[in-house]
Amino acid sequence: MTAAVIDGKAFAANLRGEVGKLAAAFEQQAGRKAGLAVVLVGEDPASQVYVRSKGKSTLEAGMASFEHKLPADTAEADLLAVVERLNADPAVDGILVQLPLPGHIDEQKVIATINPDKDVDGFHVTNAGRLAVGQPGFVPCTPLGCLMLLKDRLGDLSGLDAVVIGRSNIVGKPMAQLLIAESCTVTVAHSRTRNLPDVVKRADIVVAAVGRPEMVKGEWIKPGATVIDVGINRVAGAEGKTRLVGDVDYAGAAAVAGAITPVPGGVGPMTIAVLLRNALVAAYRNAGIPLADGTI
Ligand code: NAD
């Protein structure tokens, strides 16, 4: 079998288009644009690229973008004060503090200071709790993007065996919660899991979020399974260049799976698209304008 390629880039482009239409409708109804604030501390090159790209995408979706760039030696109290100001600002619907933060700042304390109703990254414990008990909140962008791709591909996920490899707070754990809510039978594998190949072999859905290049082999995949590769790993390529690979051996898995996300072009583009979606949902909720469940 040769797997169907799940085109995350196309799905994300479509989602961004839908967000743009709803952002225009929001502006009409609310008399202001939906607003997303991004806070960057320091000069980490990768974080700078992400923040620039988030700002550009926010504007392209017809939303207001507020960027706060603070020096690397910013005191924790000063960062918390910026977050508090954004919490109180009615033009700001969503707040994202770009991680990682410099070592002298307690990330959990910063996340805990964000108003949960503006926490469009879904990292606040209140939103983690809401997800766990099935209340409306904000779900971390990457796993929500993975779920959208899975539902688009498979429709009803009820009763399917799902294995999530990785148990981070950002990807693995919320992914598992989302799949439980879809009535999958969920196994969470991690660095201490025994016989990982056997665990993966029984899965109809495999979500790999490990951070180890091409660790998941084709022989581990159940024929016809759907494979979502969250990993983004830079490895040495030809002629001294580097290239991106996922956590799954793509060629091996694509020969067995029913469908698979490529890297790049699979899960990666979904993250920013879902961030915009979350910011727009925040705007509707904060403005008290109804938005029917499942609209976006
Ligand atoms: P993390 O380092 O926080 O967590 C990795 C998890 O993998 C841990 O729970 C660990 O137990 C597990 N693990 C480590 N070695 C293992 C092994 N040998 N067998 C089984 N499990 C093992 O990473 P993360 O933040 O969850 O990110 C995971 C990957 O996803 C990374 O490659 C990251 O770059 C990528 N990522 C991509 C996006 C995106 O937008 N596409 C977003 C977030 C993360």
Side-chain angles (χ1 to χ4, degrees), residues 64-218:
S65 168
F66 307 96
E67 280 184 29
H68 294 263
K69 293 188 179 160
L70 308 175
D73 61 356
T74 299
E76 186 182 275
D78 292 337
L79 174 58
L80 295 178
V82 169
V83 172
E84 294 284 15
R85 271 208 304 281
L86 296 172
N87 281 343
D89 186 343
V92 173
D93 296 294
I95 303 169
L96 180 155
V97 178
Q98 184 66 42
L99 304 180
L101 289 168
H104 66 281
I105 297 177
D106 179 348
E107 280 184 2
Q108 286 309 317
K109 205 166 165 185
V110 175
I111 293 168
T113 304
I114 299 172
N115 174 352
D117 296 329
K118 295 191 176 189
D119 168 40
V120 286
D121 253 341
F123 294 165
H124 193 290
V125 288
T126 296
N127 281 317
R130 286 166 171 167
L131 175 61
V133 299
Q135 287 177 6
F138 291 105
V139 177
C141 303
T142 302
L144 183 53
C146 293
L147 184 74
M148 288 177 179
L149 294 178
L150 281 168
K151 288 175 81 166
D152 183 57
R153 171 78 201 166
L154 297 171
D156 183 11
L157 307 184
S158 172
L160 295 177
D161 277 314
V163 170
V164 179
I165 317 173
R167 57 175 164 182
S168 71
N169 291 338
I170 294 175
V171 188
K173 281 184 203 156
M175 187 75 241
Q177 295 285 6
L178 286 168
L179 291 167
I180 291 169
E182 294 296 327
S183 301
C184 291
T185 303
V186 181
T187 304
V188 180
H190 47 74
S191 53
R192 304 290 177 88
T193 296
R194 293 182 192 162
N195 297 326
L196 184 60
D198 290 345
V199 172
V200 173
K201 193 86 196 177
R202 52 173 196 257
D204 304 305
I205 293 170
V206 180
V207 181
V210 186
R212 289 179 181 253
E214 301 177 320
M215 186 193 83
V216 177
K217 305 300 177 202

